[in-house]
Amino acid sequence: MSKPKVFEKPIGVKDYLPHAVTKLRQIENQVLACMRSWGYEQIMTPTMEYYDTVGVASSTSDQKLFKLLNNRGTTLVLRSDMTAPIARVVSSVLKDVQFPIRLSYHSSVYRAIEEEAGRDAEFFQTGVELVGDASPDADAEVVALAIASLKAAGVKRFKIAIGHVGFLNGLFEAALPGCRDAQEELKAYLLGRDYVGYRERLRSLTISDEMRAELEGILRLRGGQEICNQAMALRLDDMALSSIRHLCEMWDVLEAYGVCEHALIDLTMIGDFQYYTGMTFEAYAADLGFPVASGGRYDNLLKQFGRPAPATGFALKTTRILELIGDADDDAGPARVLIGYDPAGRAVALEKARELREAGGASVTVMTERMDAVSQAAVREAASGGGQVLYKGVAFTKLLTYFGGEREGEQLA
Amino acid sequence: MSKPKVFEKPIGVKDYLPHAVTKLRQIENQVLACMRSWGYEQIMTPTMEYYDTVGVASSTSDQKLFKLLNNRGTTLVLRSDMTAPIARVVSSVLKDVQFPIRLSYHSSVYRAIEEEAGRDAEFFQTGVELVGDASPDADAEVVALAIASLKAAGVKRFKIAIGHVGFLNGLFEAALPGCRDAQEELKAYLLGRDYVGYRERLRSLTISDEMRAELEGILRLRGGQEICNQAMALRLDDMALSSIRHLCEMWDVLEAYGVCEHALIDLTMIGDFQYYTGMTFEAYAADLGFPVASGGRYDNLLKQFGRPAPATGFALKTTRILELIGDADDDAGPARVLIGYDPAGRAVALEKARELREAGGASVTVMTERMDAVSQAAVREAASGGGQVLYKGVAFTKLLTYFGGEREGEQLA
């Protein structure tokens, strides 16, 4: 392969310039503050984890993990999500903390291969985990908090589709007892939202017409709480039945939160994480084809780290939300003051800079520059126009100059 | 080697629990706000860079770089500092932005091997780069900003030792013309602050006694601006002489900034980065053996990325500063409210939670919990004592319960 050019960065990763960083930081701070007001405290975990522990427990397929060796020859991975690292922390450093445990994070995560498809190999997620509470109330809490977080992030129009892994597992097992492969194929079609493929596969199965109609019918099971009642009418095993009951009660809780306008039940929903065991959900922003948040219940993950516990959570896809919302407004920034000086004016100029920075707090940015004769001429020229001073491509709201030991001029916007 | 245990994280990396994160975030926000008020705008770059570009240009020795392969077989590195990535950005995405360019960052960086010595393999740095200004004023600006940043971070007592790569290079070349190995050895002793080793090596050199006395004498060249005058008396070549003149003028600028109480000239100072070409400095906090910030001028790095320019900057060693300052105070956090409910009281309880979160802003944290009979008894017991309510190990300042459809009780701290 050809050697990378000096100015190149790897495919699938980004530089965030100041305007994007300003907006990203706003989203990050507002979402974390929202999560905090719901009792979620922020933690940070390492970029690198052991492949054999967190790597294997994560829901990311092996080929999508970035792997490297430490100097002892042990395989490490770059974290591919925050759920498995948090399960490790809850089971180790926090093992004496009683449940429920509420934790939040804002963190970059890494996925190999994705770059091939023009997708990000590194991106930000902002999310929570609620560990130690199996109730529908806990699931509704994370969905309601996802809704509050999306609003805090500035996403205006969105819907959250809620499903249940147990419903589909139970339904397919009742329809195709023991036929794992066929069940997995059907689920793969639903995960890919390939409803044509799903119907075709159904037609090729040797099942009763009635059963086929029922399995096709679930494609229409999208809506409000009435969907739960319709689903109850299907021939369900105990697992599917209790899953529907769980969703029903969750809906009641979401009504108590007053957030049902953003929610819909979608029984074809399958979370794309292997470790989901119950409710799963995805948030879609208006006019966007990809989810801006996803989450679900994972009651079997914690026991892999030695502290069995039910758990539920979600992550905002913060990088995508940033792209959706756009960079910060140029005018929203602080006032910019330029102070030009020469050696004779230096002491007064730098004293003035200190004064302005101390008085201005976050609302003012003061740049100082030692200017030679050429720069002095340029800055005089720039200041002669009135209004904003454009110097070396940057617009300043105020210019102060201290040349020749005297304060020479002051230009106000 | 043995397989890692499920609860283990790799050696040399950290989990930051909520108290530490709160403090780390405070430091980060205060330092970045300080940098912003001096005109430095924040950027973010990817965790992974090409080995052949940023990896090679970085000052980190090859064996200390974490390396991995992407799926095309190209070698990537985890960034080992932010200076080389910023040089890449300034030379590519920002190539049309005029100098001077002021950028800040807060970022984790990675060093392999370090873990062996009980040192961090991943740690935070918060710093700036000032690109396109070769003046002593630019060097003084970053030193003065380092001082302001350390204060903003909460470091109370510290000193900044300032030296110049050109002085030592010039002096050693004048004393040992062409003897690269001997020169490098002497510099290595100074870098390691092994003054005994330095003296012994001097004694083994075949140079005049006068020269030896001069080279020994630099160990005493520590202090204020008078050190520059003493150094001028040595037999210096042009490079060493202009280095001393640069430091002299820098000191004048630092006096104009009013920060000389924190500064000292130390002509034995060698920055540990290969790319330093001029002034270098390190900040030491009282009673600590390691630097809490370091920086210097690197006028040859940018041209490696195709946009030759002088540049200077520094990085706070933020992880060390966090260890120095300690975690956030427990009492400093928001008021914690616990709302317990059963299904009958749910609607009122969750409505109340929303109300409190909206009214409280950042000063209140509201946790809700659906409580069964056992939890209801526990929370009643906890509330009976008066004062703070201790429930499942967490202290709440306020408890509200909604059991049986009625608001049952309210417990105020």
Side-chain angles (χ1 to χ4, degrees):
Chain A
M1 69 236 61
S2 63
K3 217 172 153 175
K5 303 286 188 302
V6 289
F7 51 83
E8 283 181 346
K9 58 175 168 39
I11 294 155
V13 300
K14 283 197 176 87
D15 294 314
Y16 294 85
L17 298 181
H19 279 99
V21 173
T22 302
K23 191 69 208 178
L24 180 62
R25 290 295 207 162
Q26 268 173 24
I27 294 172
E28 174 188 339
N29 289 333
Q30 284 159 5
V31 171
L32 288 171
C34 173
M35 290 167 172
R36 178 160 197 173
S37 77
W38 287 57
Y40 291 78
E41 294 193 286
Q42 197 188 340
I43 74 161
M44 293 181 184
T45 68
T47 303
M48 291 171 278
E49 296 271 0
Y50 282 129
Y51 171 72
D52 281 332
T53 63
V54 170
V56 168
S58 83
S59 64
T60 311
S61 67
D62 205 69
Q63 58 172 2
K64 284 192 185 173
L65 291 171
F66 276 109
K67 295 183 198 117
L68 66 166
L69 295 175
N70 71 1
N71 60 350
R72 295 163 185 229
T74 311
T75 305
L76 308 179
V77 295
L78 304 190
R79 65 177 166 241
S80 63
D81 68 23
M82 281 293 288
T83 305
I86 287 180
R88 175 183 59 70
V89 170
V90 166
S91 309
S92 55
V93 233
L94 297 182
K95 68 178 189 302
D96 296 325
V97 175
Q98 293 176 64
F99 294 131
I101 293 177
R102 288 178 172 86
L103 295 169
S104 70
Y105 60 86
H106 171 81
S107 174
S108 51
V109 299
Y110 309 86
R111 306 270 169 86
I113 308 291
E114 308 267 320
E115 70 231 52
E116 291 293 284
R119 295 173 70 181
D120 294 335
E122 172 175 12
F123 50 96
F124 287 101
Q125 288 190 340
T126 318
V128 303
E129 311 296 345
L130 168 48
V131 184
D133 189 333
S135 69
D137 297 67
D139 284 328
E141 176 174 324
V142 300
V143 170
L145 178 52
I147 290 169
S149 299
L150 285 167
K151 288 180 179 173
V155 182
K156 294 211 184 339
R157 292 167 55 218
F158 59 88
K159 280 279 185 192
I160 292 202
I162 306 166
H164 199 297
V165 173
F167 168 75
L168 286 176
N169 283 346
L171 189 70
F172 289 150
E173 181 59 26
L176 300 154
C179 303
R180 268 296 148 96
D181 289 353
Q183 292 183 27
E184 290 305 315
E185 276 177 64
L186 289 173
K187 284 197 267 182
Y189 284 119
L190 293 180
L191 181 61
R193 298 187 175 270
D194 177 1
Y195 303 132
V196 174
Y198 176 78
R199 282 200 186 89
E200 277 171 8
R201 187 70 188 88
L202 275 186
R203 249 168 264 145
S204 72
L205 291 172
T206 50
I207 49 174
S208 70
D209 288 349
E210 204 181 350
M211 184 68 81
R212 188 174 293 117
E214 276 198 359
L215 293 183
E216 255 200 70
I218 65 164
L219 295 179
R220 293 183 296 275
L221 291 181
R222 300 177 50 154
Q225 199 171 21
E226 74 281 3
I227 297 305
C228 292
N229 300 327
Q230 291 171 29
M232 293 283 211
L234 302 173
R235 273 165 306 178
L236 302 175
D237 69 352
D238 286 350
M239 189 205 276
L241 206 60
S242 74
S243 301
I244 294 294
R245 288 204 181 106
H246 187 96
L247 284 183
C248 254
E249 186 158 7
M250 229 188 109
W251 191 272
D252 287 341
V253 190
L254 291 174
E255 278 187 339
Y257 276 110
V259 296
C260 285
E261 56 173 321
H262 293 288
L264 65 96
I265 306 260
D266 177 351
L267 292 179
T268 66
M269 261 286 307
I270 294 196
D272 61 349
F273 287 170
Q274 295 287 338
Y275 50 56
Y276 285 144
T277 55
M279 175 281 301
T280 67
F281 69 94
E282 282 186 343
Y284 286 85
D287 312 320
L288 277 186
F290 47 75
V292 288
S294 66
R297 173 167 287 283
Y298 50 99
D299 287 348
N300 295 333
L301 182 64
L302 269 286
K303 76 176 166 216
Q304 293 185 49
F305 291 93
R307 192 184 182 193
T312 182
F314 73 87
L316 298 196
K317 298 175 192 303
T318 316
T319 301
R320 285 179 175 176
I321 291 173
L322 176 66
E323 284 159 10
L324 173 68
I325 291 177
D327 292 355
D329 202 343
D330 213 0
D331 302 331
R336 288 159 164 279
V337 180
L338 174 64
I339 299 184
Y341 65 85
D342 62 8
R346 184 154 60 200
V348 197
L350 296 180
E351 169 65 28
K352 182 71 181 173
R354 184 170 56 217
E355 211 177 89
L356 289 175
R357 284 172 189 139
E358 275 170 16
S363 65
V364 69
T365 276
V366 183
M367 273 165 268
T368 64
E369 190 177 317
R370 173 173 169 173
M371 294 181 180
D372 58 18
V374 175
S375 292
Q376 289 182 30
V379 85
R380 278 195 194 101
E381 168 71 23
S384 65
Q388 282 203 333
V389 177
L390 195 71
Y391 176 69
K392 295 186 180 173
V394 179
F396 291 92
T397 42
K398 192 173 180 177
L399 166 71
L400 299 171
T401 56
Y402 301 85
F403 300 138
E406 290 295 320
R407 171 159 158 183
E408 189 183 80
E410 178 169 333
Q411 174 71 32
L412 289 159
Chain B
M1 69 237 61
S2 62
K3 216 172 155 174
K5 303 286 188 301
V6 289
F7 51 83
E8 282 180 347
K9 58 176 167 39
I11 294 155
V13 300
K14 283 197 177 86
D15 294 315
Y16 293 86
L17 298 182
H19 278 99
V21 173
T22 301
K23 191 69 208 177
L24 180 62
R25 290 293 206 162
Q26 268 175 25
I27 295 172
E28 173 188 342
N29 290 333
Q30 284 160 5
V31 171
L32 288 170
C34 173
M35 290 167 172
R36 178 161 197 173
S37 77
W38 287 55
Y40 291 78
E41 294 193 287
Q42 198 188 340
I43 73 161
M44 294 181 183
T45 67
T47 303
M48 291 171 278
E49 297 272 1
Y50 282 131
Y51 170 73
D52 281 331
T53 63
V54 169
V56 167
S58 83
S59 63
T60 310
S61 66
D62 206 69
Q63 55 170 4
K64 284 191 185 175
L65 291 172
F66 275 108
K67 293 182 198 120
L68 66 167
L69 295 176
N70 72 2
N71 59 351
R72 294 161 186 230
T74 311
T75 306
L76 308 178
V77 295
L78 304 190
R79 64 176 169 243
S80 63
D81 68 24
M82 281 294 288
T83 304
I86 286 180
R88 174 182 59 69
V89 171
V90 166
S91 310
S92 56
V93 233
L94 297 181
K95 69 179 188 300
D96 295 325
V97 176
Q98 292 178 64
F99 294 132
I101 293 177
R102 290 178 171 85
L103 295 170
S104 69
Y105 60 87
H106 171 80
S107 175
S108 50
V109 299
Y110 307 86
R111 307 271 169 85
I113 308 292
E114 307 269 319
E115 69 233 53
E116 292 292 284
R119 294 173 70 180
D120 293 335
E122 172 176 11
F123 51 95
F124 287 102
Q125 288 189 340
T126 317
V128 303
E129 311 296 345
L130 169 48
V131 185
D133 189 334
S135 69
D137 297 66
D139 284 329
E141 175 173 323
V142 300
V143 170
L145 179 51
I147 290 169
S149 298
L150 285 167
K151 287 180 180 172
V155 182
K156 294 209 184 342
R157 292 168 56 218
F158 59 87
K159 281 278 184 192
I160 290 201
I162 306 166
H164 198 298
V165 173
F167 168 75
L168 287 177
N169 284 345
L171 188 71
F172 288 151
E173 181 59 27
L176 301 155
C179 304
R180 267 297 147 95
D181 289 353
Q183 292 182 28
E184 289 307 315
E185 276 177 65
L186 289 174
K187 284 196 267 182
Y189 284 121
L190 292 180
L191 181 59
R193 299 188 175 269
D194 177 1
Y195 303 131
V196 175
Y198 177 78
R199 282 201 185 90
E200 277 172 7
R201 187 71 188 86
L202 276 186
R203 247 167 267 145
S204 71
L205 291 172
T206 49
I207 50 175
S208 72
D209 287 350
E210 205 179 352
M211 183 68 81
R212 188 173 294 116
E214 276 198 0
L215 294 183
E216 253 199 72
I218 65 164
L219 295 179
R220 291 183 296 276
L221 291 182
R222 301 178 49 154
Q225 201 171 17
E226 73 282 2
I227 296 305
C228 292
N229 300 329
Q230 291 171 30
M232 294 283 211
L234 301 173
R235 274 166 304 178
L236 301 176
D237 69 354
D238 287 350
M239 188 205 278
L241 207 59
S242 75
S243 301
I244 293 294
R245 287 202 184 108
H246 188 95
L247 283 183
C248 253
E249 186 158 8
M250 227 188 111
W251 190 271
D252 286 342
V253 190
L254 290 174
E255 276 186 341
Y257 276 110
V259 296
C260 284
E261 57 173 318
H262 293 288
L264 65 98
I265 305 256
D266 177 352
L267 292 179
T268 65
M269 262 286 306
I270 294 195
D272 60 350
F273 287 171
Q274 295 288 337
Y275 50 55
Y276 285 143
T277 55
M279 173 284 297
T280 66
F281 69 93
E282 282 185 344
Y284 285 86
D287 312 321
L288 277 186
F290 47 76
V292 289
S294 67
R297 175 167 285 283
Y298 51 98
D299 286 349
N300 296 332
L301 182 65
L302 269 287
K303 76 175 164 215
Q304 294 185 47
F305 291 93
R307 192 184 182 192
T312 181
F314 72 87
L316 298 196
K317 299 177 191 302
T318 317
T319 301
R320 284 178 174 175
I321 291 173
L322 176 66
E323 285 160 9
L324 173 68
I325 290 177
D327 292 354
D329 202 342
D330 212 359
D331 301 331
R336 288 158 164 278
V337 180
L338 175 64
I339 299 184
Y341 65 86
D342 62 10
R346 183 152 62 198
V348 196
L350 296 181
E351 169 64 30
K352 182 71 182 173
R354 183 169 59 217
E355 210 177 90
L356 290 174
R357 283 172 190 141
E358 274 169 16
S363 65
V364 69
T365 276
V366 182
M367 273 165 266
T368 63
E369 190 178 317
R370 173 174 168 173
M371 295 181 179
D372 59 15
V374 175
S375 291
Q376 289 182 29
V379 85
R380 280 197 193 101
E381 168 71 24
S384 66
Q388 282 202 334
V389 176
L390 195 72
Y391 176 69
K392 295 186 178 174
V394 179
F396 291 91
T397 43
K398 190 172 178 177
L399 166 71
L400 299 171
T401 57
Y402 301 85
F403 301 137
E406 291 294 322
R407 171 159 159 184
E408 191 185 76
E410 179 170 328
Q411 174 70 35
L412 290 157

